[in-house]
Amino acid sequence: MGHGHHTTAHAPQVLPKDKEKIKKIWMTALILAVVTAIEFLLAFTMERGSLLTSIFVLLTFVKSFYIVGEFMHLKYEAKTLIWSIVIPTLFIVWLVVALLVEGNAILYFRNLWQWYAGLAK
Amino acid sequence: MATTAVIDEKEKRNLWGGGAEPLRASYGKLMMWFFLLSDALSFSGLLITYGLSRFAHNAYTGKIADFVPSGNYWPVPEKVFTHIPFTHNPYPLVFVGIMTFILIMSSVTMVLAVEAGHRMDKEEVLKWMLWTIIGGAAFLGCQAWEWTIFIVGDKGRMIADGTTFFGANLHHNEYGPTLFADLFFFITGFHGTHVLSGVIINMIVFYNVAIGTYERVGHYEMVEKVGLYWHFVDLVWVFVFTFFYLV
């Protein structure tokens, strides 16, 4: 079908645009832009604290879901491939918890040391 | 029962016994995915180090409006990154917001290039690849500007030896504890290096598309692979934006 339109011998058949697919790409872009705008707005309207931080973390994961799932197409890959990428990243969660606890401990001992140094003076 | 088991066994062996693609992705794409996974671990290491350093320093407890930089507590990012080019009025986080927008847009043009590649539409692939390269170059330009502002500094701050220090290097900075500037350089620098290499690889692929290499090969999978890398760079920036600039 359509082979009669070939002008050069080697040019392969160019398929028509998939309107649905392109619409989906722009929708994903819109979602990413809107979520970023919301984050930006919250940074200046909400009180800083653990609630705002949690909202930021949540929205960051929403964005990564769209980037990895739609743009990188992982959502549509074989199940085994999805899990072989996602499961190893779970170890990162452990590292986050471990090192943040460690950071708190360092701060505690630093301040304790300064307090001692003050007493000695 | 016995028959079903035998058939299952056979199908399994066929899928993983060679000659098939059990993950329904080519070798090149799979290796790109596993490289990106390892790269994700590298970036996690850097960002988690930022978290550790921040938790190991006192937090600023006063009102945001009254914030004055000090080596005794971690700075509030929106009070550090307030510059946009061509004006001296403070616009907190606006410039970095623009950079985020540029990178998201270049990610969109990259997917559109991949989509065009699936349709063997060489002209469209070229068009969208070019936009992606321009977006990447624009981001790098912004980052160069951002670094210059950060290094040159603004008001300065008195440091331990009694002198006033302007801007930042790896030993001193006017914004807060030494580690704050160090991590700024390491994290945005490591990300910027990724963007730079991404732009260079994009240029090489663009050239190959232009001379018809992939048309001869019969598919545009290389565009897909470099696309994966490019989206990953965008993904990392999403995390840097949140954990370095917003939180």
Side-chain angles (χ1 to χ4, degrees), chain B residues 12-34:
Chain B
K12 223 173 188 174
R13 208 183 314 137
N14 283 346
L15 194 59
W16 291 94
E21 286 182 347
L23 299 183
R24 284 192 280 118
S26 70
Y27 176 80
K29 251 168 95 174
L30 277 184
M31 291 307 115
M32 180 53 91
W33 268 111
F34 290 126

Side-chain angles (χ1 to χ4, degrees), chain B residues 66-200:
Chain B
D66 306 328
F67 176 79
V68 183
S70 159
N72 297 325
Y73 45 76
W74 204 259
V76 179
E78 68 176 74
K79 285 289 172 181
V80 175
F81 305 101
T82 57
H83 284 71
I84 58 170
F86 308 118
T87 165
H88 286 288
N89 297 328
Y91 289 101
L93 303 182
V94 169
F95 194 40
V96 79
I98 295 169
M99 286 164 74
T100 307
F101 183 71
I102 291 173
L103 213 53
I104 288 177
M105 282 316 290
S106 83
S107 236
V108 177
T109 56
M110 187 78 236
V111 214
L112 290 169
V114 172
E115 193 272 338
H118 284 150
R119 298 186 284 108
M120 300 301 289
D121 192 337
K122 183 176 155 185
E123 298 304 313
E124 285 263 300
V125 176
L126 279 177
K127 181 179 92 183
W128 292 120
M129 284 294 293
L130 187 64
W131 278 113
T132 309
I133 292 167
I134 291 170
F139 181 86
L140 283 173
C142 291
Q143 202 162 42
W145 206 306
E146 172 103 332
W147 271 51
T148 309
I149 292 166
F150 192 78
I151 292 168
V152 172
D154 182 20
K155 296 186 190 79
R157 175 172 70 83
M158 209 201 285
I159 54 171
D161 64 1
T163 57
T164 304
F165 187 85
F166 289 92
N169 59 31
L170 289 178
H171 303 290
H172 303 289
N173 70 82
E174 66 167 69
Y175 313 104
T178 305
L179 275 176
F180 175 73
D182 291 357
L183 287 162
F184 173 81
F185 290 129
F186 273 98
I187 292 173
T188 64
F190 198 55
H191 177 263
T193 311
H194 275 74
V195 179
L196 177 66
S197 54
V199 168
I200 293 170

